Amino acid sequence: MSFRMRYYYIVGIWIFCCALPVMMGCMGETQKSRKDSFEVLYQQMEQVSVDSPEQVTRMVDSILPSVKDSMMYYRMLFLKVRGYFLSFHIDSASCLLDRISAFCERTEKREEVYQLYALVYNARGNVYVRTSQIDSACSCFQKSFEYASRGGKRESLPDICLNLADAFIKQGRYDWGAFWYNRSLSISDSLDMPEEQRFPAYYGLAQVHMELRDFALCDYYYDLASRYYDKMHPFEKHIYLNNRGNSYYYRQDYKTALGYFRRSLEVVNQYPDMTFERNLTMINLGEIFLMLDCTDSASYYLQKCRGFFDSIHHATALYCIDTQLMELALKQGNVALARERLKQAVQYDEVEPNMIHVRNRYLQRYFEKVGDYRHAYHYLKANYHIDDSIRNERVKMRAAEIKLKYTQDSTLMKKEISIREKENQVLQLHQWMYVIVGGGFLLIAIVSAVVLYRKRLRDREQWRLQNTMTSLRLENVRNRISPHFIFNVLNREMNLHKGEEESKNLIGLTKLIRRNLELTDCLAVSLADELEFVDTYVSLEKESLGKDFDYQLDLDCKIDLKAVKVPSMLLQIPVENAIKHGLRLKEGKRLLRIQIRLLLDNQVEIVVSDNGGGYRKVSVNHGTGTGMKVITQTIQLLNTYNSRPIQMKINNVLVGEEKEMGCEVRFVIPLNYSYQLKKN
């Protein structure tokens, strides 16, 4: 929250506080409205107390006269306790806690009272932590957890778990510390709390692994917490930065540790009320400068914070400062001063194991310098013992984590099994209905899809065949006899006006036209009919080709011409093309040959050849190419309905005795070839 926003927020609460007594007097008849107004005010003041405890203390003093000796009064009084605690007026906070406890003792026990009890014991635990009475702090936090559970306000349980975990860490009981940090996360899961409110548990677990020197997991949890750094309150930022700096101190990466401690000091310097946090950071800075051999800076910070911790009798902090001052004297080469400070150092009953470890290390160095190796060995051995206990705590912590995970997994598994059993019962009641209805719909859908698909295939095939047949018939009629050829022959014959013998060409033309019309509707004809048609056509063209024209028909006597079927126009079109495009304009001898023979594998080979110069893409007397296209498409269509296809090849070859270049069209037709447009 920026300074300007916080200022307006506090001003708004001040106005609300001034108006509250009047509002409460006007709402005497509606207790519920009064309680709701108080809850709104209480929550707003609770939020502000973190950043401005002294402001909240003054606000509470202005409200207390209007809510004397009631639950509202003592809850407001607790806000004042928080303000005293955060501004480090520990004695004043303790006195107010005694008053609140007395009220709880004389009040009928109900949920609101249990909730207030939980707040009181949680606050007492924090007071004991500040004064290094860790055993008493653990006891208070455990009572706070019990009362919060009874009071039904589970939202406060994660914070109480965090306080318990912190207290166990200070005692060196890392397994219990890890247990309560994980318990905090587990309760947060059950309350569906957002991830951004769980970072204290993350940097708490990071501290556990730091104490156990497991720095990989330590950094993992610190990285999780760092995602929410901007959402932390000032004291939470101090805890995060201070503890992370300590993790680098234990790795002996003193420069990185110094960066975190300086950031921590920058944060707490912005808030004058954070006296304890500021002096604690100075102890850490003194230790780091001591390790970096910056003795002047170390002396500055240690002397500056010593007076504050003397005033509050903080055992752990004073133990740490005395230890560092002794090491500072050794760094400065003043062994006598180190000996004097060692004599003056006060022994405390409750000190964190880490502080003992650091002092033992410094004492070992001191006795090495003065030549008392027996005492130096004693402190070296004591540190080995602490290290062994830490390793043992690591084992305990692993076992506790496994047990906690097993308990959580077992609970989740039982819940999951129960849910699955209920679901199975419901499914068993309805499964037959689902199967019958679903099967019926599926069967109807499959049958409908198959019927529609087959109908569409039949319609598509029928349409394609009809279209193909219509197209072929039209092409057949158009190309069977050339209109130009017919009119030429008729004009010539009509101009002759000769006798019956000379009119035979006209008779042949008539026969050709009649036969063409008869074969128009036929997809296949016998080989005999096709040859007869070709003979008639050639006899009509022979006169125009002159005496040099030679027509040869070479038939295999084993072939039954009437039994062999061929596609309609199979011979007529190649013969017509040979005469029209090859022989008509040729000079000299003109040769047209048709060869038909039986092959060994029950196939008939038909070859139409000429010596008209061969196949040319560009010809003087070129045509449209429709005739051969009709033959090709007909053969392609029929081949789709036969396992053995008709083969067609067109090549340029040497023809006749003179070996002149010509064109050859070759067909190979199976004897059992089917001309039915359906699959066999």
Side-chain angles (χ1 to χ4, degrees):
M1 187 184 294
S2 66
F3 176 78
R4 183 180 296 274
M5 290 296 293
R6 191 175 59 187
Y7 171 77
Y8 288 126
Y9 195 56
I10 293 173
V11 169
I13 294 179
W14 265 113
I15 296 172
F16 191 79
C17 292
C18 294
L20 185 66
V22 179
M23 292 169 60
M24 288 185 171
C26 296
M27 293 189 298
E29 68 283 357
T30 55
Q31 187 68 21
K32 184 177 180 181
S33 299
R34 180 182 178 184
K35 186 175 180 180
D36 291 341
S37 301
F38 171 77
E39 286 297 334
V40 172
L41 175 64
Y42 185 86
Q43 292 174 8
Q44 291 176 343
M45 294 178 67
E46 191 175 29
Q47 293 177 5
V48 175
S49 66
V50 177
D51 296 328
S52 303
E54 293 183 354
Q55 293 280 357
V56 171
T57 300
R58 290 193 292 271
M59 292 178 192
V60 170
D61 288 337
S62 66
I63 296 173
L64 287 177
S66 61
V67 288
K68 287 186 177 180
D69 202 26
S70 64
M71 179 62 70
M72 295 182 187
Y73 177 89
Y74 288 100
R75 287 183 66 186
M76 281 291 179
L77 206 61
F78 182 77
L79 284 178
K80 196 171 181 179
V81 170
R82 290 189 64 176
Y84 282 147
F85 181 79
L86 292 173
S87 58
F88 219 84
H89 296 92
I90 304 299
D91 293 337
S92 300
S94 297
C95 291
L96 292 180
L97 287 174
D98 291 337
R99 289 179 60 188
I100 299 172
S101 296
F103 168 77
C104 293
E105 290 293 335
R106 67 174 182 265
T107 306
E108 181 184 356
K109 302 301 181 287
R110 58 183 187 273
E111 283 192 356
E112 288 183 338
V113 176
Y114 289 137
Q115 292 173 11
L116 192 56
Y117 258 133
L119 295 174
V120 168
Y121 278 108
N122 193 48
R124 282 196 187 279
N126 284 318
V127 170
Y128 284 131
V129 169
R130 286 291 176 95
T131 56
S132 299
Q133 301 178 63
I134 307 302
D135 288 337
S136 300
C138 287
S139 177
C140 287
F141 289 139
Q142 287 174 341
K143 288 182 179 179
S144 175
F145 186 86
E146 293 172 5
Y147 280 118
S149 301
R150 276 198 236 172
K153 193 174 182 181
R154 290 176 54 82
E155 292 79 6
S156 62
L157 291 178
D159 288 337
I160 299 173
C161 291
L162 293 176
N163 289 337
L164 256 174
D166 291 339
F168 281 120
I169 295 300
K170 291 182 183 299
Q171 287 183 320
R173 299 168 68 182
Y174 306 121
D175 53 342
W176 281 102
F179 171 82
W180 284 104
Y181 283 131
N182 282 301
R183 184 77 178 273
S184 173
L185 291 175
S186 177
I187 295 173
S188 299
D189 287 338
S190 66
L191 296 174
D192 199 21
M193 293 175 62
E195 190 73 18
E196 62 189 26
Q197 295 182 14
R198 307 183 189 191
F199 59 81
Y202 293 145
Y203 61 59
L205 285 168
Q207 185 180 0
V208 171
H209 292 287
M210 175 195 74
E211 301 289 357
L212 299 175
R213 308 301 186 262
D214 188 351
F215 296 116
L217 275 176
C218 171
D219 287 338
Y220 168 76
Y221 285 112
Y222 275 134
D223 290 339
L224 284 180
S226 67
R227 299 177 186 176
Y228 311 103
Y229 180 81
D230 294 337
K231 299 182 182 296
M232 295 180 187
H233 292 298
F235 75 92
E236 291 170 334
K237 290 181 179 179
H238 158 74
I239 294 172
Y240 166 75
L241 295 170
N242 194 62
N243 289 352
R244 191 149 203 183
N246 281 331
S247 74
Y248 286 101
Y249 165 77
Y250 288 119
R251 285 178 252 195
Q252 299 182 2
D253 185 355
Y254 301 124
K255 290 185 178 180
T256 306
L258 180 62
Y260 279 102
F261 291 139
R262 280 176 168 167
R263 285 178 61 189
S264 177
L265 190 62
E266 289 175 5
V267 170
V268 297
N269 280 340
Q270 297 175 20
Y271 302 93
D273 297 334
M274 298 181 68
T275 309
F276 180 85
E277 289 79 6
R278 182 164 46 255
N279 285 279
L280 184 63
T281 305
M282 284 191 226
I283 293 179
N284 291 329
L285 283 169
E287 176 77 11
I288 290 298
F289 283 123
L290 200 59
M291 294 296 100
L292 294 174
D293 292 328
C294 300
T295 54
D296 292 340
S297 297
S299 177
Y300 168 78
Y301 283 110
L302 293 175
Q303 296 296 341
K304 191 172 182 180
C305 65
R306 176 64 184 266
F308 171 78
F309 288 109
D310 270 334
S311 66
I312 63 172
H313 309 291
H314 196 285
T316 301
L318 292 173
Y319 187 91
C320 180
I321 293 171
D322 288 343
T323 303
Q324 292 177 18
L325 289 174
M326 183 182 65
E327 176 66 10
L328 179 63
L330 290 176
K331 291 274 188 181
Q332 293 170 341
N334 193 340
V335 178
L337 180 59
R339 183 184 299 108
E340 185 65 25
R341 286 176 175 171
L342 178 60
K343 290 179 180 179
Q344 295 175 357
V346 180
Q347 297 296 325
Y348 300 96
D349 295 331
E350 294 186 6
V351 181
E352 295 179 23
N354 276 330
M355 296 298 100
I356 297 174
H357 192 279
V358 172
R359 174 170 283 195
N360 287 345
R361 188 172 72 245
Y362 290 161
L363 287 172
Q364 176 191 339
R365 291 186 55 195
Y366 165 75
F367 284 113
E368 286 175 355
K369 279 189 174 290
V370 299
D372 189 349
Y373 295 105
R374 184 174 64 84
H375 279 90
Y377 174 74
H378 167 75
Y379 288 108
L380 176 64
K381 188 176 179 181
N383 271 354
Y384 280 148
H385 178 71
I386 293 174
D387 290 337
D388 288 341
S389 66
I390 289 176
R391 283 193 290 270
N392 187 39
E393 290 297 329
R394 184 181 305 179
V395 173
K396 288 182 181 178
M397 190 201 72
R398 297 294 186 195
E401 285 183 344
I402 293 171
K403 181 181 178 182
L404 178 65
K405 188 175 185 303
Y406 172 76
T407 304
Q408 292 174 343
D409 291 345
S410 299
T411 304
L412 291 174
M413 188 177 296
K414 289 178 182 177
K415 184 178 179 181
E416 188 73 19
I417 290 172
S418 177
I419 293 172
R420 295 302 179 196
E421 287 177 351
K422 298 297 182 183
E423 290 177 350
N424 289 335
Q425 290 175 2
V426 175
L427 288 175
Q428 287 173 1
L429 291 175
H430 298 90
Q431 62 181 355
W432 284 110
M433 183 180 67
Y434 294 152
V435 169
I436 292 171
V437 174
F441 279 118
L442 182 62
L443 183 60
I444 292 171
I446 292 174
V447 171
S448 301
V450 170
V451 169
L452 290 175
Y453 178 72
R454 295 188 66 177
K455 185 177 182 300
R456 179 173 293 182
L457 285 181
R458 286 197 302 270
D459 293 345
R460 185 183 299 171
E461 184 70 12
Q462 185 177 359
W463 177 84
R464 189 177 68 83
L465 291 175
Q466 289 177 352
N467 188 48
T468 303
M469 292 296 297
T470 301
S471 178
L472 289 174
R473 286 174 181 173
L474 290 174
E475 294 291 341
N476 192 10
V477 172
R478 187 183 300 115
N479 293 288
R480 180 64 85 159
I481 297 295
S482 171
H484 180 70
F485 161 72
I486 293 173
F487 288 124
N488 283 343
V489 173
L490 287 175
N491 288 332
R492 186 174 65 250
E493 293 300 325
M494 291 172 65
N495 290 329
L496 289 177
H497 296 287
K498 295 186 179 181
E500 185 177 349
E501 181 67 23
E502 287 78 6
S503 299
K504 63 180 180 179
N505 288 337
L506 186 57
I507 296 170
L509 177 60
T510 303
K511 178 181 177 182
L512 187 65
I513 294 173
R514 184 183 299 111
R515 189 62 176 163
N516 181 51
L517 292 175
E518 290 174 354
L519 298 177
T520 298
D521 292 331
C522 299
L523 189 59
V525 298
S526 67
L527 187 54
D529 289 340
E530 187 68 19
L531 286 173
E532 182 183 358
F533 190 89
V534 170
D535 286 341
T536 304
Y537 173 78
V538 171
S539 64
L540 290 173
E541 285 282 14
K542 183 180 292 186
E543 186 172 346
S544 66
L545 294 173
K547 296 180 180 180
D548 292 332
F549 175 66
D550 182 13
Y551 171 58
Q552 299 177 3
L553 180 60
D554 184 5
L555 296 174
D556 190 337
C557 61
K558 298 178 182 179
I559 299 176
D560 184 357
L561 298 179
K562 292 185 177 182
V564 177
K565 296 287 185 179
V566 296
S568 180
M569 299 185 297
L570 185 72
L571 296 179
Q572 188 268 332
I573 290 176
V575 168
E576 182 181 356
N577 285 341
I579 293 173
K580 184 189 299 184
H581 303 299
L583 300 177
R584 190 180 298 282
L585 300 178
K586 186 180 183 302
E587 298 293 335
K589 186 175 181 179
R590 301 178 179 90
L591 176 62
L592 176 62
R593 180 187 298 167
I594 298 176
Q595 296 173 298
I596 302 174
R597 63 191 183 92
L598 183 64
L599 301 179
L600 295 177
D601 51 353
N602 290 326
Q603 297 187 105
V604 175
E605 183 182 59
I606 303 174
V607 180
V608 179
S609 58
D610 65 84
N611 65 343
Y615 171 75
R616 299 182 295 279
K617 291 185 179 180
V618 180
S619 173
V620 176
N621 189 20
H622 61 82
T624 63
T626 306
M628 291 306 296
K629 187 184 296 183
V630 170
I631 288 295
T632 302
Q633 291 180 355
T634 302
I635 290 174
Q636 288 177 350
L637 175 63
L638 292 171
N639 281 344
T640 60
Y641 294 92
N642 286 272
S643 58
R644 297 182 70 187
I646 295 176
Q647 302 175 29
M648 183 181 77
K649 292 183 181 179
I650 302 176
N651 298 307
N652 288 335
V653 295
L654 298 176
V655 181
E657 296 178 357
E658 289 80 6
K659 301 298 181 183
E660 294 179 286
M661 180 59 68
C663 181
E664 176 184 274
V665 181
R666 183 183 299 271
F667 301 97
V668 178
I669 305 171
L671 291 178
N672 58 350
Y673 198 78
S674 173
Y675 295 92
Q676 299 294 323
L677 296 180
K678 61 181 181 180
K679 295 289 184 181
N680 292 328

